[in-house]
Amino acid sequence: MDGFYSLHQRLADRSKFEEAYSVLQVADGLVAADLAVRFDIPVRVGSSLKVPDILVADSETGASFYCEVSTLYSAQGHVDQSRLLGAVHTVLIQSAIPAAFAGQILRPIEDEEITGLINRIQWELIEIEIPRST
């Protein structure tokens, strides 16, 4: 698929992942609608060379257009991440065990997974609290 390598590079770059993932989501929907997609195909606009995210083509009609994608649902994603981090922070702060902690969210976490994650953190805190005999 034309241009997929450049999209793959953006997906692998932490700072560009969110936008690139949005491009991939949009492309998936277009392909599901039986349209052809190509990524990062340069096009001359006046005297400037532009590189839109997607070139969309309909093989039946011959119509094509360029598509520039912005990050999808970024506001809701930030709300969801904030809610998750608040829940994790609450569990760690309420613990009687002094524990240093750090983390990073690498992907969206579904609501159903949050309970499991919180339970896992609580379990790990219990493991720290219970002295092990050797």
Side-chain angles (χ1 to χ4, degrees):
M1 184 174 299
D2 284 341
F4 185 74
Y5 179 75
S6 63
L7 178 61
H8 180 266
Q9 292 300 103
R10 286 189 290 166
L11 287 165
D13 182 331
R14 220 177 254 185
S15 67
K16 298 177 182 175
F17 175 82
E18 194 171 354
E19 186 272 338
Y21 184 64
S22 290
V23 170
L24 194 58
Q25 287 176 304
V26 169
D28 182 54
L30 293 167
V31 169
D34 211 21
L35 297 168
V37 298
R38 295 168 60 194
F39 302 101
D40 299 333
I41 304 299
V43 62
R44 184 159 301 282
V45 178
S47 61
S48 300
L49 189 62
K50 304 287 184 182
V51 184
D53 292 318
I54 303 173
L55 171 60
V56 183
D58 182 345
S59 60
E60 285 185 29
T61 65
S64 65
F65 63 91
Y66 291 96
C67 176
E68 190 66 34
V69 178
S70 62
T71 304
L72 292 175
Y73 313 116
S74 60
Q76 185 59 50
H78 288 117
V79 168
D80 294 343
Q81 286 180 358
S82 178
R83 190 177 73 230
L84 169 62
L85 292 174
V88 170
H89 187 256
T90 298
V91 169
L92 292 169
I93 294 303
Q94 289 177 349
S95 170
I97 303 162
F101 58 90
Q104 180 177 13
I105 297 176
L106 299 175
R107 64 172 178 81
I109 297 178
E110 300 296 325
D111 288 342
E112 300 82 34
E113 293 179 280
I114 292 174
T115 302
L117 176 63
I118 297 300
N119 289 340
R120 174 66 190 262
I121 292 168
Q122 289 172 329
W123 176 257
E124 293 298 330
L125 289 169
I126 291 169
E127 289 285 305
I128 293 170
E129 188 176 37
I130 299 172
R132 297 182 185 253
S133 56
T134 54

